[in-house]
Amino acid sequence: MSIAEYFSSITQSKLGQSLLVGSVLIGVFKITTFSLSVVSLVFDLFILPATNYSKYGAKKGNWAVITGASDGLGKEYALQLAAKGLNIVLISRTQSKLELLATDIESKYKVSTKIIAFDASTDEDENYLKISNAIDGLPVTVLINNVGQSHSIPVPFVETELKELTDIVTINNLVTLKITQTVLPVIKQTLNQDKKIRGLILTMGSFGGLFPTAYLATYSGSKAFLQNWSNALAGELAPEKIDVELVLSYLVTSAMSKIKRPSLLIPNAKNFVKSAINSVGYRGGAQERFATNTPYWTHALMHFAVANSVGIYSKIANTINFNMHKSIRVRALKKAARLANEKKD
Ligand SMILES: NC(=O)c1ccc[n+]([C@@H]2O[C@H](COP(=O)([O-])OP(=O)(O)OC[C@H]3O[C@@H](n4cnc5c(N)ncnc54)[C@H](OP(=O)(O)O)[C@@H]3O)[C@@H](O)[C@H]2O)c1
């Protein structure tokens, strides 16, 4: 039987015709959904207007609580939300850095601030009490769960120091959840008293959690945990007018990333945070995910390209990521050895 006869026999049978129609419909569906997500990506990144913070009570005396606020992304969240007209509660470890930033914010943006210093690697009742005492009676509408810790350098899981492992899970997960449990009732109370405004909870995820990342296994797992927790909370709190969003990022220049020079793929904290706070409710590169936003345009294109080609959970993505972290580890170990030698001399 020739190929033409073979296809003709298939298209003449009922089963063959059903399979053909089914395949065409699936193809049309896939092409349509892909085209729509490309359009949505372009609109999210380059066309839609920036988020208007008056719905979150900006310039109306409302407050944002920001964790990990004294440096890096957290400091930028504080500065940029203050610029939008929110009063700011700054939480981090170092009192002196918080005091300097609070003075700077108050003088630049004419908003009020409060500071709370504690070490988030200690899950002490006293820490949450400090927060609830500070925000008691304040009209809080926004919580930015930004504090986070990663591995000091990429490391095989079995060699991860117990303190590093415990601190990562404590800070990124347990303490983040307990801070949210402390702040959320106050947000709800604020919204009960002012029916016109909304609440917002943004949590910093990471490409380290988006992609299973070998040699950063504990950090990767802790950020993946935040993905599901935040998405679950988003569904739960939507009827109560509280927007909940996980913000995804590839590398940004900061103390944590140990990268000083920005590049096309690695923005500075200011530009990253600008993209995040101006696109609340959009998805950017995270088109396939509910209540998740990959806001910075080059990160977004990377996320979207992988999700729509080899796939986030594919072996190929996993292997490329592993090779990248292997080479970061080699360079970090060399640098540590060089510094140790310099110290000896
Ligand atoms: N930078 C990146 O490339 C990148 C990429 C993806 C996701 N992220 C995520 O973005 C978030 C912020 O990262 P970043 O790069 O801005 O970090 P960073 O520059 O190292 O700043 C960390 C902030 O958190 C505070 N902090 C750290 N450990 C703390 C602790 N044990 N207790 C209380 N506060 C503590 C620091 O306070 P002190 O100043 O007092 O130490 C500082 O304010 C993290 O959740 C991170 O996972 C970052």
Side-chain angles (χ1 to χ4, degrees), residues 292-304:
T292 305
N293 187 10
T294 305
Y296 191 72
W297 72 278
T298 52
H299 299 177
L301 296 180
M302 206 193 315
H303 180 165
F304 189 81

Side-chain angles (χ1 to χ4, degrees), residues 242-309:
I242 301 174
D243 302 323
V244 180
E245 183 175 291
L246 188 81
V247 178
L248 292 177
S249 171
Y250 179 59
L251 292 167
V252 176
T253 58
S254 78
M256 179 190 277
S257 68
K258 301 190 183 81
I259 299 174
K260 294 199 177 90
R261 207 174 323 133
S263 62
L264 191 64
L265 277 181
I266 307 176
N268 60 25
K270 186 176 180 180
N271 288 335
F272 177 81
V273 168
K274 189 173 168 202
S275 73
I277 65 171
N278 281 342
S279 61
V280 169
Y282 306 159
R283 294 185 183 177
Q287 290 296 320
E288 86 286 12
R289 285 165 194 240
F290 164 64
T292 305
N293 187 10
T294 305
Y296 191 72
W297 72 278
T298 52
H299 299 177
L301 296 180
M302 206 193 315
H303 180 165
F304 189 81
V306 178
N308 288 285
S309 55

Side-chain angles (χ1 to χ4, degrees), residues 68 70-71 73 93-94 97 118-120 146 205 219 223 252 254:
S70 55
D71 217 333
L73 277 63
R93 196 169 29 190
T94 317
K97 285 165 83 175
F118 63 82
D119 181 349
N146 166 75
Y219 178 71
K223 290 291 181 178
V252 176
S254 78

